[in-house]
Amino acid sequence: MDRLSAAVGRRALVGLVVGCVVFLIGPVVLTFVASFFESWAGVGPSGPLTLTHWAQALGLAETVGASRGLGTWVVDVPATGLAVRIPASLAFSVLLALGGVGVNLVVGIPIAYAVTRYEFAGRDWLNTVAVLPVVPGIVLGIAFLRTYPNLPSAVALVIGYSLLKAPYMVLAVQSSFESMDLRRLEETARSLGASWPRTVATVILPNAKRGILSGSIVCWTLAAAEFNFSYVVYSRGPKPFSLFLFENISNNPFQRAAAAVSIYFLIVAGVTALLRATGERGFSTGGVQ
Amino acid sequence: MAALDSEETGLRERAATTALPETERDRERRRIAVLSLPFLALATFGAFVPLVEMVRVSTSTSSFAVEGFTLSAYRELFASILAYLPVVGDAVVPGTDPVYGAVIWNSLWFGAATTVVSVAVGVGIAHALEKYDLPFEGAVVTLVSFPISLPGIVAAFMMIVLFGTTGVLSNAVAVLAGTSPDAVALTGQPSGSTKAILGLFFGYLYSMIPRATFLLRGTYAEVNEDAEAAARSLGASPWETFRYVTLPQIRPGVVGAVILTFRTALAIFGTVLVLKALSVITFRFDQEIQVGFDLPMASALATVFFAFTLLFTFAGLRFTDAEVAEA
């Protein structure tokens, strides 16, 4: 056993890491590559290269099941007689997720500050509730269905997104706060004559910028793809992005689904790059769905 | 009574001084209140009120309005759970449909199995990342964390890419074995068949391995490396060192990862909805609402599910002292 572990252990673990990376990333790369091919027959994608699937998924080209493309606004350009298609549904989803982030900024930063800076009764309890996604998305969705039946889908979705993703904001901001000597920063600013609100606005928040930024980015990405809650709660209006993905995956030919999913890969890849720029290595603040 | 009175005036006084502070301590209390208020408001109207309403719907006599009070949904649910038990079920509640019992059992065993595998793989990856000087370590961390941001429906699509009838692996295996890809594909098989469940198993792993790995990386960062070095220099093999020095140190982290990963497993919905391989609780919600429109039953099931997750998480985390913040 001993000699075996010395000889094989390291190699086995490195093999495990390589295997997992292939298992996790291989299909992502394949999907992306396949979305540019005409078809997939046999072991790999085949046929000539084409942008048709992307145009259809983005809603820039007419399709039979047009509703499964990202909905579009057709704008007539005056004088030229041309009609320009704008992927409006995508823009709407971007806004919905941004709304969730907006609520989380208002809700998450103060609570993160309160539990990091102050000692008070019920602090541990509040901290646990704030950093642990206590209600699963699908249960929250069922609860929302009956409680707020007349709430427009967009409002319900923003509330749900902010609730479900608040822990990620709180965790990210908290880790920034924890790396600062909050008490001393605050006391110094106060003793120099700044009021408490002014201290928070001009000293504390600017110092926590990195955490706030990475928290917002993570929240936004996760909200844009939040499916479980959206699926139960959505009733009418422009579709959120995750439902567009679902319809493509469950109803469309493989190639178009691949293009639709690839749109999201591009978003996540961009966001990962952004996160690295703020000093985070990928979605390390994310933990529980 | 007098004690109660004084407590009440004490509360009232505290509320008054919180609103109109006189001392620095009062001001601090007001700040805490102001800072906590937005979160509490969102939690109240976004989560607490809907959850209470959900419990009320589960006892409603009608599917379309909250009216009356009946425990029939719960009676049906628990009878069904009993009916699923072997031997006992037939004796206590003969003729009851064990469907909910089956659904709950499916969620539990499947969640447990995927959790054990994910955490074991997570320990391996975290160990390799932390202990070995691997090339491209930063890239590996980024790549392994990438799927955390992917929703369950995309995880399901990834399984179709790998194991579907047009999938790379199923086609490769079919070519090597000389059979048709349909025969070896794991997704697109009839629900409940071994192949379909195996496909779903990988779909769960796709979502859970990255999460487990990240929970465990936090734990590994705190391991005392001197003790490991001492064990090695005293002649312990790498396996012995891991077994007797590293593992006891990471045990609380492993237990915490098991609890939080199991929670994730129970809550996965999109993957099952796309692959339709096994009827778990979250999948049953969809059928109750979309097919049967049995809102009281869906709410009763959701209430039991929520209560279980909540109790399990808090009891588990308290019991192990695991760091919730690592989540």
Side-chain angles (χ1 to χ4, degrees), chain A residues 24 30 40 110 133-134 144 146 148 163 196 231 264 268 276 287, chain B residues 31 35 45-46 63-64 142 149 166 168 206 211 263 286 310 327:
Chain A
L24 296 172
L30 267 172
W40 183 323
V134 178
F144 251 69
R146 184 53 83 181
Y148 306 119
L163 253 173
W196 184 77
Y231 176 78
Y264 187 64
V268 177
R276 294 200 75 129
Chain B
R31 276 173 213 148
L35 289 169
F45 292 105
S63 231
F64 301 94
T142 306
S149 57
T166 58
V168 197
Y206 192 89
R211 291 187 169 77
R263 268 178 58 96
D286 180 52
L310 201 65

PDB file of all heavy atoms in Angstrom, chain A residues 24 30 40 110 133-134 144 146 148 163 196 231 264 268 276 287, chain B residues 31 35 45-46 63-64 142 149 166 168 206 211 263 286 310 327:
ATOM      1  N   LEU A  24     -15.441  18.470 -17.665  1.00  0.00           N
ATOM      2  CA  LEU A  24     -16.174  19.715 -17.424  1.00  0.00           C
ATOM      3  C   LEU A  24     -16.084  20.677 -18.603  1.00  0.00           C
ATOM      4  O   LEU A  24     -17.051  21.367 -18.926  1.00  0.00           O
ATOM      5  CB  LEU A  24     -15.644  20.411 -16.157  1.00  0.00           C
ATOM      6  CG  LEU A  24     -15.832  19.645 -14.837  1.00  0.00           C
ATOM      7  CD1 LEU A  24     -15.099  20.332 -13.705  1.00  0.00           C
ATOM      8  CD2 LEU A  24     -17.302  19.507 -14.490  1.00  0.00           C
ATOM      9  N   LEU A  30     -16.644  21.588 -27.376  1.00  0.00           N
ATOM     10  CA  LEU A  30     -17.312  20.881 -28.477  1.00  0.00           C
ATOM     11  C   LEU A  30     -18.582  21.606 -28.921  1.00  0.00           C
ATOM     12  O   LEU A  30     -18.842  21.757 -30.108  1.00  0.00           O
ATOM     13  CB  LEU A  30     -17.691  19.478 -28.019  1.00  0.00           C
ATOM     14  CG  LEU A  30     -16.668  18.392 -28.310  1.00  0.00           C
ATOM     15  CD1 LEU A  30     -17.090  17.106 -27.627  1.00  0.00           C
ATOM     16  CD2 LEU A  30     -16.558  18.183 -29.813  1.00  0.00           C
ATOM     17  N   TRP A  40     -23.857  17.517 -37.470  1.00  0.00           N
ATOM     18  CA  TRP A  40     -23.042  16.637 -36.623  1.00  0.00           C
ATOM     19  C   TRP A  40     -23.493  15.221 -36.911  1.00  0.00           C
ATOM     20  O   TRP A  40     -24.553  14.806 -36.487  1.00  0.00           O
ATOM     21  CB  TRP A  40     -23.258  16.993 -35.151  1.00  0.00           C
ATOM     22  CG  TRP A  40     -22.398  16.182 -34.212  1.00  0.00           C
ATOM     23  CD1 TRP A  40     -22.057  14.873 -34.327  1.00  0.00           C
ATOM     24  CD2 TRP A  40     -21.771  16.637 -33.018  1.00  0.00           C
ATOM     25  NE1 TRP A  40     -21.264  14.485 -33.291  1.00  0.00           N
ATOM     26  CE2 TRP A  40     -21.074  15.539 -32.464  1.00  0.00           C
ATOM     27  CE3 TRP A  40     -21.733  17.858 -32.342  1.00  0.00           C
ATOM     28  CZ2 TRP A  40     -20.353  15.635 -31.269  1.00  0.00           C
ATOM     29  CZ3 TRP A  40     -21.018  17.945 -31.165  1.00  0.00           C
ATOM     30  CH2 TRP A  40     -20.331  16.848 -30.638  1.00  0.00           C
ATOM     31  N   PRO A 110     -25.201  46.755   2.889  1.00  0.00           N
ATOM     32  CA  PRO A 110     -25.460  47.126   4.288  1.00  0.00           C
ATOM     33  C   PRO A 110     -25.441  45.935   5.238  1.00  0.00           C
ATOM     34  O   PRO A 110     -24.834  46.012   6.310  1.00  0.00           O
ATOM     35  CB  PRO A 110     -26.860  47.748   4.244  1.00  0.00           C
ATOM     36  CG  PRO A 110     -27.072  48.153   2.842  1.00  0.00           C
ATOM     37  CD  PRO A 110     -26.286  47.203   2.011  1.00  0.00           C
ATOM     38  N   PRO A 133     -28.005  30.316   0.777  1.00  0.00           N
ATOM     39  CA  PRO A 133     -29.265  30.388   0.033  1.00  0.00           C
ATOM     40  C   PRO A 133     -30.262  29.438   0.699  1.00  0.00           C
ATOM     41  O   PRO A 133     -30.223  28.245   0.471  1.00  0.00           O
ATOM     42  CB  PRO A 133     -28.887  29.898  -1.361  1.00  0.00           C
ATOM     43  CG  PRO A 133     -27.413  29.777  -1.378  1.00  0.00           C
ATOM     44  CD  PRO A 133     -26.953  29.652   0.037  1.00  0.00           C
ATOM     45  N   VAL A 134     -31.102  29.996   1.567  1.00  0.00           N
ATOM     46  CA  VAL A 134     -31.927  29.149   2.430  1.00  0.00           C
ATOM     47  C   VAL A 134     -33.078  28.496   1.666  1.00  0.00           C
ATOM     48  O   VAL A 134     -33.409  27.346   1.880  1.00  0.00           O
ATOM     49  CB  VAL A 134     -32.470  29.971   3.614  1.00  0.00           C
ATOM     50  CG1 VAL A 134     -33.356  29.113   4.492  1.00  0.00           C
ATOM     51  CG2 VAL A 134     -31.313  30.505   4.445  1.00  0.00           C
ATOM     52  N   PHE A 144     -44.154  31.888  -4.668  1.00  0.00           N
ATOM     53  CA  PHE A 144     -44.479  33.148  -5.347  1.00  0.00           C
ATOM     54  C   PHE A 144     -45.755  33.049  -6.161  1.00  0.00           C
ATOM     55  O   PHE A 144     -46.531  33.990  -6.253  1.00  0.00           O
ATOM     56  CB  PHE A 144     -43.326  33.539  -6.289  1.00  0.00           C
ATOM     57  CG  PHE A 144     -42.554  34.724  -5.815  1.00  0.00           C
ATOM     58  CD1 PHE A 144     -41.757  34.614  -4.686  1.00  0.00           C
ATOM     59  CD2 PHE A 144     -42.623  35.946  -6.474  1.00  0.00           C
ATOM     60  CE1 PHE A 144     -41.040  35.697  -4.235  1.00  0.00           C
ATOM     61  CE2 PHE A 144     -41.909  37.032  -6.022  1.00  0.00           C
ATOM     62  CZ  PHE A 144     -41.114  36.908  -4.908  1.00  0.00           C
ATOM     63  N   ARG A 146     -48.645  31.750  -5.858  1.00  0.00           N
ATOM     64  CA  ARG A 146     -49.942  32.030  -5.261  1.00  0.00           C
ATOM     65  C   ARG A 146     -49.955  33.354  -4.505  1.00  0.00           C
ATOM     66  O   ARG A 146     -50.977  34.016  -4.445  1.00  0.00           O
ATOM     67  CB  ARG A 146     -50.309  30.860  -4.330  1.00  0.00           C
ATOM     68  CG  ARG A 146     -51.660  30.956  -3.726  1.00  0.00           C
ATOM     69  CD  ARG A 146     -52.757  31.153  -4.749  1.00  0.00           C
ATOM     70  NE  ARG A 146     -53.187  29.899  -5.357  1.00  0.00           N
ATOM     71  CZ  ARG A 146     -54.133  29.836  -6.294  1.00  0.00           C
ATOM     72  NH1 ARG A 146     -54.725  30.940  -6.726  1.00  0.00           N
ATOM     73  NH2 ARG A 146     -54.471  28.673  -6.805  1.00  0.00           N
ATOM     74  N   TYR A 148     -48.236  36.279  -5.046  1.00  0.00           N
ATOM     75  CA  TYR A 148     -48.273  37.490  -5.863  1.00  0.00           C
ATOM     76  C   TYR A 148     -48.708  37.141  -7.282  1.00  0.00           C
ATOM     77  O   TYR A 148     -47.936  37.300  -8.233  1.00  0.00           O
ATOM     78  CB  TYR A 148     -46.898  38.148  -5.896  1.00  0.00           C
ATOM     79  CG  TYR A 148     -46.311  38.433  -4.529  1.00  0.00           C
ATOM     80  CD1 TYR A 148     -45.118  37.843  -4.134  1.00  0.00           C
ATOM     81  CD2 TYR A 148     -46.948  39.304  -3.637  1.00  0.00           C
ATOM     82  CE1 TYR A 148     -44.573  38.113  -2.880  1.00  0.00           C
ATOM     83  CE2 TYR A 148     -46.409  39.574  -2.392  1.00  0.00           C
ATOM     84  CZ  TYR A 148     -45.228  38.967  -2.019  1.00  0.00           C
ATOM     85  OH  TYR A 148     -44.689  39.227  -0.786  1.00  0.00           O
ATOM     86  N   LEU A 163     -33.191  37.825  -4.312  1.00  0.00           N
ATOM     87  CA  LEU A 163     -33.217  36.962  -3.128  1.00  0.00           C
ATOM     88  C   LEU A 163     -32.282  35.774  -3.278  1.00  0.00           C
ATOM     89  O   LEU A 163     -31.503  35.449  -2.384  1.00  0.00           O
ATOM     90  CB  LEU A 163     -34.632  36.432  -2.936  1.00  0.00           C
ATOM     91  CG  LEU A 163     -35.409  37.021  -1.790  1.00  0.00           C
ATOM     92  CD1 LEU A 163     -36.832  36.524  -1.836  1.00  0.00           C
ATOM     93  CD2 LEU A 163     -34.776  36.674  -0.466  1.00  0.00           C
ATOM     94  N   TRP A 196     -20.986  59.952  10.251  1.00  0.00           N
ATOM     95  CA  TRP A 196     -20.966  58.524   9.963  1.00  0.00           C
ATOM     96  C   TRP A 196     -21.370  58.206   8.525  1.00  0.00           C
ATOM     97  O   TRP A 196     -20.680  57.441   7.841  1.00  0.00           O
ATOM     98  CB  TRP A 196     -21.843  57.778  10.986  1.00  0.00           C
ATOM     99  CG  TRP A 196     -21.789  56.299  10.799  1.00  0.00           C
ATOM    100  CD1 TRP A 196     -20.789  55.460  11.178  1.00  0.00           C
ATOM    101  CD2 TRP A 196     -22.776  55.483  10.149  1.00  0.00           C
ATOM    102  NE1 TRP A 196     -21.064  54.182  10.822  1.00  0.00           N
ATOM    103  CE2 TRP A 196     -22.284  54.157  10.191  1.00  0.00           C
ATOM    104  CE3 TRP A 196     -24.005  55.741   9.549  1.00  0.00           C
ATOM    105  CZ2 TRP A 196     -23.001  53.099   9.644  1.00  0.00           C
ATOM    106  CZ3 TRP A 196     -24.700  54.680   9.009  1.00  0.00           C
ATOM    107  CH2 TRP A 196     -24.212  53.377   9.048  1.00  0.00           C
ATOM    108  N   TYR A 231     -38.562  29.500 -14.422  1.00  0.00           N
ATOM    109  CA  TYR A 231     -39.420  28.530 -15.101  1.00  0.00           C
ATOM    110  C   TYR A 231     -40.786  28.444 -14.420  1.00  0.00           C
ATOM    111  O   TYR A 231     -41.816  28.368 -15.082  1.00  0.00           O
ATOM    112  CB  TYR A 231     -38.723  27.167 -15.074  1.00  0.00           C
ATOM    113  CG  TYR A 231     -39.534  26.033 -15.653  1.00  0.00           C
ATOM    114  CD1 TYR A 231     -39.650  25.878 -17.025  1.00  0.00           C
ATOM    115  CD2 TYR A 231     -40.176  25.121 -14.820  1.00  0.00           C
ATOM    116  CE1 TYR A 231     -40.381  24.840 -17.557  1.00  0.00           C
ATOM    117  CE2 TYR A 231     -40.920  24.081 -15.349  1.00  0.00           C
ATOM    118  CZ  TYR A 231     -41.018  23.947 -16.723  1.00  0.00           C
ATOM    119  OH  TYR A 231     -41.750  22.915 -17.240  1.00  0.00           O
ATOM    120  N   TYR A 264     -24.416  31.866 -24.177  1.00  0.00           N
ATOM    121  CA  TYR A 264     -24.190  31.976 -22.736  1.00  0.00           C
ATOM    122  C   TYR A 264     -22.727  31.699 -22.367  1.00  0.00           C
ATOM    123  O   TYR A 264     -22.171  32.368 -21.494  1.00  0.00           O
ATOM    124  CB  TYR A 264     -25.133  31.045 -21.969  1.00  0.00           C
ATOM    125  CG  TYR A 264     -25.030  31.265 -20.488  1.00  0.00           C
ATOM    126  CD1 TYR A 264     -25.405  32.493 -19.931  1.00  0.00           C
ATOM    127  CD2 TYR A 264     -24.513  30.304 -19.642  1.00  0.00           C
ATOM    128  CE1 TYR A 264     -25.277  32.726 -18.580  1.00  0.00           C
ATOM    129  CE2 TYR A 264     -24.388  30.534 -18.279  1.00  0.00           C
ATOM    130  CZ  TYR A 264     -24.770  31.744 -17.757  1.00  0.00           C
ATOM    131  OH  TYR A 264     -24.629  31.986 -16.424  1.00  0.00           O
ATOM    132  N   VAL A 268     -20.287  34.020 -20.104  1.00  0.00           N
ATOM    133  CA  VAL A 268     -19.548  33.571 -18.914  1.00  0.00           C
ATOM    134  C   VAL A 268     -18.043  33.754 -19.106  1.00  0.00           C
ATOM    135  O   VAL A 268     -17.333  34.163 -18.180  1.00  0.00           O
ATOM    136  CB  VAL A 268     -19.864  32.102 -18.584  1.00  0.00           C
ATOM    137  CG1 VAL A 268     -19.037  31.627 -17.411  1.00  0.00           C
ATOM    138  CG2 VAL A 268     -21.333  31.950 -18.262  1.00  0.00           C
ATOM    139  N   ARG A 276     -11.243  38.022 -13.301  1.00  0.00           N
ATOM    140  CA  ARG A 276      -9.795  37.918 -13.134  1.00  0.00           C
ATOM    141  C   ARG A 276      -9.192  39.303 -13.030  1.00  0.00           C
ATOM    142  O   ARG A 276      -8.239  39.517 -12.298  1.00  0.00           O
ATOM    143  CB  ARG A 276      -9.181  37.155 -14.300  1.00  0.00           C
ATOM    144  CG  ARG A 276      -9.606  35.713 -14.330  1.00  0.00           C
ATOM    145  CD  ARG A 276      -8.641  34.902 -15.163  1.00  0.00           C
ATOM    146  NE  ARG A 276      -7.426  34.688 -14.420  1.00  0.00           N
ATOM    147  CZ  ARG A 276      -6.867  33.480 -14.261  1.00  0.00           C
ATOM    148  NH1 ARG A 276      -7.395  32.437 -14.823  1.00  0.00           N
ATOM    149  NH2 ARG A 276      -5.756  33.346 -13.573  1.00  0.00           N
ATOM    150  N   GLY A 287     -20.956  29.069  -4.427  1.00  0.00           N
ATOM    151  CA  GLY A 287     -20.870  27.772  -3.798  1.00  0.00           C
ATOM    152  C   GLY A 287     -22.127  26.969  -3.976  1.00  0.00           C
ATOM    153  O   GLY A 287     -22.136  25.927  -4.609  1.00  0.00           O
TER     154      GLY A 287
ATOM    155  N   ARG B  31     -27.739  52.406  13.714  1.00  0.00           N
ATOM    156  CA  ARG B  31     -27.021  52.064  12.480  1.00  0.00           C
ATOM    157  C   ARG B  31     -27.246  50.602  12.102  1.00  0.00           C
ATOM    158  O   ARG B  31     -27.497  50.287  10.946  1.00  0.00           O
ATOM    159  CB  ARG B  31     -25.523  52.291  12.676  1.00  0.00           C
ATOM    160  CG  ARG B  31     -25.137  53.716  12.447  1.00  0.00           C
ATOM    161  CD  ARG B  31     -23.694  53.945  12.819  1.00  0.00           C
ATOM    162  NE  ARG B  31     -23.544  55.282  13.338  1.00  0.00           N
ATOM    163  CZ  ARG B  31     -22.672  55.630  14.272  1.00  0.00           C
ATOM    164  NH1 ARG B  31     -21.874  54.725  14.811  1.00  0.00           N
ATOM    165  NH2 ARG B  31     -22.595  56.879  14.662  1.00  0.00           N
ATOM    166  N   LEU B  35     -28.942  49.408   8.714  1.00  0.00           N
ATOM    167  CA  LEU B  35     -28.193  48.571   7.781  1.00  0.00           C
ATOM    168  C   LEU B  35     -28.897  47.241   7.509  1.00  0.00           C
ATOM    169  O   LEU B  35     -28.821  46.700   6.409  1.00  0.00           O
ATOM    170  CB  LEU B  35     -26.788  48.284   8.344  1.00  0.00           C
ATOM    171  CG  LEU B  35     -25.815  49.463   8.366  1.00  0.00           C
ATOM    172  CD1 LEU B  35     -24.582  49.116   9.192  1.00  0.00           C
ATOM    173  CD2 LEU B  35     -25.396  49.846   6.954  1.00  0.00           C
ATOM    174  N   PHE B  45     -40.752  40.165   2.522  1.00  0.00           N
ATOM    175  CA  PHE B  45     -41.747  40.179   1.444  1.00  0.00           C
ATOM    176  C   PHE B  45     -41.395  39.214   0.318  1.00  0.00           C
ATOM    177  O   PHE B  45     -42.271  38.709  -0.368  1.00  0.00           O
ATOM    178  CB  PHE B  45     -41.927  41.602   0.906  1.00  0.00           C
ATOM    179  CG  PHE B  45     -42.562  42.500   1.905  1.00  0.00           C
ATOM    180  CD1 PHE B  45     -41.819  43.454   2.589  1.00  0.00           C
ATOM    181  CD2 PHE B  45     -43.912  42.358   2.207  1.00  0.00           C
ATOM    182  CE1 PHE B  45     -42.407  44.262   3.549  1.00  0.00           C
ATOM    183  CE2 PHE B  45     -44.510  43.160   3.164  1.00  0.00           C
ATOM    184  CZ  PHE B  45     -43.757  44.107   3.836  1.00  0.00           C
ATOM    185  N   GLY B  46     -40.113  38.958   0.133  1.00  0.00           N
ATOM    186  CA  GLY B  46     -39.718  38.068  -0.940  1.00  0.00           C
ATOM    187  C   GLY B  46     -39.750  36.600  -0.548  1.00  0.00           C
ATOM    188  O   GLY B  46     -40.061  35.745  -1.369  1.00  0.00           O
ATOM    189  N   SER B  63     -57.895  24.217  -5.233  1.00  0.00           N
ATOM    190  CA  SER B  63     -56.652  24.439  -5.953  1.00  0.00           C
ATOM    191  C   SER B  63     -56.575  25.869  -6.475  1.00  0.00           C
ATOM    192  O   SER B  63     -55.532  26.341  -6.871  1.00  0.00           O
ATOM    193  CB  SER B  63     -56.564  23.459  -7.119  1.00  0.00           C
ATOM    194  OG  SER B  63     -55.346  22.783  -7.102  1.00  0.00           O
ATOM    195  N   PHE B  64     -57.720  26.561  -6.499  1.00  0.00           N
ATOM    196  CA  PHE B  64     -57.764  27.856  -7.186  1.00  0.00           C
ATOM    197  C   PHE B  64     -57.859  29.044  -6.242  1.00  0.00           C
ATOM    198  O   PHE B  64     -57.671  30.175  -6.642  1.00  0.00           O
ATOM    199  CB  PHE B  64     -58.924  27.863  -8.184  1.00  0.00           C
ATOM    200  CG  PHE B  64     -58.793  26.772  -9.190  1.00  0.00           C
ATOM    201  CD1 PHE B  64     -59.409  25.547  -9.005  1.00  0.00           C
ATOM    202  CD2 PHE B  64     -57.984  26.942 -10.308  1.00  0.00           C
ATOM    203  CE1 PHE B  64     -59.247  24.523  -9.914  1.00  0.00           C
ATOM    204  CE2 PHE B  64     -57.814  25.919 -11.222  1.00  0.00           C
ATOM    205  CZ  PHE B  64     -58.452  24.697 -11.024  1.00  0.00           C
ATOM    206  N   THR B 142      -9.552  28.127 -12.820  1.00  0.00           N
ATOM    207  CA  THR B 142     -10.581  28.834 -13.582  1.00  0.00           C
ATOM    208  C   THR B 142     -11.486  27.860 -14.326  1.00  0.00           C
ATOM    209  O   THR B 142     -12.710  27.997 -14.312  1.00  0.00           O
ATOM    210  CB  THR B 142      -9.930  29.795 -14.603  1.00  0.00           C
ATOM    211  OG1 THR B 142      -9.023  30.637 -13.894  1.00  0.00           O
ATOM    212  CG2 THR B 142     -10.978  30.636 -15.303  1.00  0.00           C
ATOM    213  N   SER B 149     -21.116  28.541 -12.869  1.00  0.00           N
ATOM    214  CA  SER B 149     -21.999  29.571 -13.392  1.00  0.00           C
ATOM    215  C   SER B 149     -23.006  29.036 -14.400  1.00  0.00           C
ATOM    216  O   SER B 149     -23.854  29.778 -14.871  1.00  0.00           O
ATOM    217  CB  SER B 149     -21.153  30.656 -14.056  1.00  0.00           C
ATOM    218  OG  SER B 149     -20.369  30.056 -15.058  1.00  0.00           O
ATOM    219  N   THR B 166     -26.200  11.559 -30.570  1.00  0.00           N
ATOM    220  CA  THR B 166     -25.204  12.154 -31.460  1.00  0.00           C
ATOM    221  C   THR B 166     -23.934  12.483 -30.681  1.00  0.00           C
ATOM    222  O   THR B 166     -23.029  13.125 -31.199  1.00  0.00           O
ATOM    223  CB  THR B 166     -25.730  13.451 -32.099  1.00  0.00           C
ATOM    224  OG1 THR B 166     -26.079  14.346 -31.038  1.00  0.00           O
ATOM    225  CG2 THR B 166     -26.905  13.207 -32.989  1.00  0.00           C
ATOM    226  N   VAL B 168     -20.385  12.591 -28.566  1.00  0.00           N
ATOM    227  CA  VAL B 168     -19.029  12.179 -28.941  1.00  0.00           C
ATOM    228  C   VAL B 168     -18.697  10.814 -28.373  1.00  0.00           C
ATOM    229  O   VAL B 168     -18.263   9.916 -29.092  1.00  0.00           O
ATOM    230  CB  VAL B 168     -17.983  13.150 -28.349  1.00  0.00           C
ATOM    231  CG1 VAL B 168     -16.671  12.965 -29.056  1.00  0.00           C
ATOM    232  CG2 VAL B 168     -18.461  14.559 -28.410  1.00  0.00           C
ATOM    233  N   TYR B 206     -21.628  16.968 -12.952  1.00  0.00           N
ATOM    234  CA  TYR B 206     -21.165  18.148 -13.680  1.00  0.00           C
ATOM    235  C   TYR B 206     -21.422  19.419 -12.874  1.00  0.00           C
ATOM    236  O   TYR B 206     -20.604  20.335 -12.855  1.00  0.00           O
ATOM    237  CB  TYR B 206     -21.880  18.238 -15.038  1.00  0.00           C
ATOM    238  CG  TYR B 206     -21.258  19.255 -15.957  1.00  0.00           C
ATOM    239  CD1 TYR B 206     -20.224  18.882 -16.803  1.00  0.00           C
ATOM    240  CD2 TYR B 206     -21.684  20.573 -15.980  1.00  0.00           C
ATOM    241  CE1 TYR B 206     -19.626  19.800 -17.638  1.00  0.00           C
ATOM    242  CE2 TYR B 206     -21.095  21.500 -16.815  1.00  0.00           C
ATOM    243  CZ  TYR B 206     -20.068  21.104 -17.639  1.00  0.00           C
ATOM    244  OH  TYR B 206     -19.466  22.018 -18.455  1.00  0.00           O
ATOM    245  N   ARG B 211     -18.555  22.673  -7.318  1.00  0.00           N
ATOM    246  CA  ARG B 211     -18.950  23.263  -6.032  1.00  0.00           C
ATOM    247  C   ARG B 211     -18.220  22.590  -4.885  1.00  0.00           C
ATOM    248  O   ARG B 211     -17.678  23.246  -3.998  1.00  0.00           O
ATOM    249  CB  ARG B 211     -20.460  23.147  -5.843  1.00  0.00           C
ATOM    250  CG  ARG B 211     -21.222  24.034  -6.794  1.00  0.00           C
ATOM    251  CD  ARG B 211     -22.708  24.042  -6.507  1.00  0.00           C
ATOM    252  NE  ARG B 211     -23.347  25.099  -7.284  1.00  0.00           N
ATOM    253  CZ  ARG B 211     -23.616  25.010  -8.572  1.00  0.00           C
ATOM    254  NH1 ARG B 211     -23.329  23.905  -9.227  1.00  0.00           N
ATOM    255  NH2 ARG B 211     -24.167  26.019  -9.205  1.00  0.00           N
ATOM    256  N   ARG B 263     -27.326  19.447  -0.323  1.00  0.00           N
ATOM    257  CA  ARG B 263     -28.371  20.461  -0.519  1.00  0.00           C
ATOM    258  C   ARG B 263     -28.521  20.803  -1.998  1.00  0.00           C
ATOM    259  O   ARG B 263     -29.621  20.882  -2.532  1.00  0.00           O
ATOM    260  CB  ARG B 263     -27.969  21.754   0.184  1.00  0.00           C
ATOM    261  CG  ARG B 263     -28.412  21.953   1.573  1.00  0.00           C
ATOM    262  CD  ARG B 263     -27.834  23.265   2.035  1.00  0.00           C
ATOM    263  NE  ARG B 263     -28.285  24.350   1.163  1.00  0.00           N
ATOM    264  CZ  ARG B 263     -29.316  25.125   1.431  1.00  0.00           C
ATOM    265  NH1 ARG B 263     -29.961  24.958   2.543  1.00  0.00           N
ATOM    266  NH2 ARG B 263     -29.689  26.072   0.599  1.00  0.00           N
ATOM    267  N   ASP B 286     -42.899  20.023 -10.908  1.00  0.00           N
ATOM    268  CA  ASP B 286     -43.274  20.432 -12.249  1.00  0.00           C
ATOM    269  C   ASP B 286     -44.512  19.693 -12.715  1.00  0.00           C
ATOM    270  O   ASP B 286     -45.452  20.286 -13.243  1.00  0.00           O
ATOM    271  CB  ASP B 286     -42.095  20.170 -13.200  1.00  0.00           C
ATOM    272  CG  ASP B 286     -42.422  20.577 -14.622  1.00  0.00           C
ATOM    273  OD1 ASP B 286     -42.853  21.735 -14.791  1.00  0.00           O
ATOM    274  OD2 ASP B 286     -42.272  19.759 -15.539  1.00  0.00           O
ATOM    275  N   LEU B 310     -33.935  22.818   5.409  1.00  0.00           N
ATOM    276  CA  LEU B 310     -33.584  23.796   6.425  1.00  0.00           C
ATOM    277  C   LEU B 310     -33.041  23.103   7.674  1.00  0.00           C
ATOM    278  O   LEU B 310     -31.947  23.422   8.155  1.00  0.00           O
ATOM    279  CB  LEU B 310     -34.831  24.612   6.776  1.00  0.00           C
ATOM    280  CG  LEU B 310     -34.603  25.963   7.420  1.00  0.00           C
ATOM    281  CD1 LEU B 310     -33.902  26.885   6.452  1.00  0.00           C
ATOM    282  CD2 LEU B 310     -35.920  26.568   7.857  1.00  0.00           C
ATOM    283  N   ALA B 327     -19.208  28.598   1.986  1.00  0.00           N
ATOM    284  CA  ALA B 327     -20.162  28.353   0.907  1.00  0.00           C
ATOM    285  C   ALA B 327     -20.095  29.478  -0.079  1.00  0.00           C
ATOM    286  O   ALA B 327     -20.654  29.406  -1.128  1.00  0.00           O
ATOM    287  CB  ALA B 327     -21.566  28.209   1.462  1.00  0.00           C
TER     288      ALA B 327
END
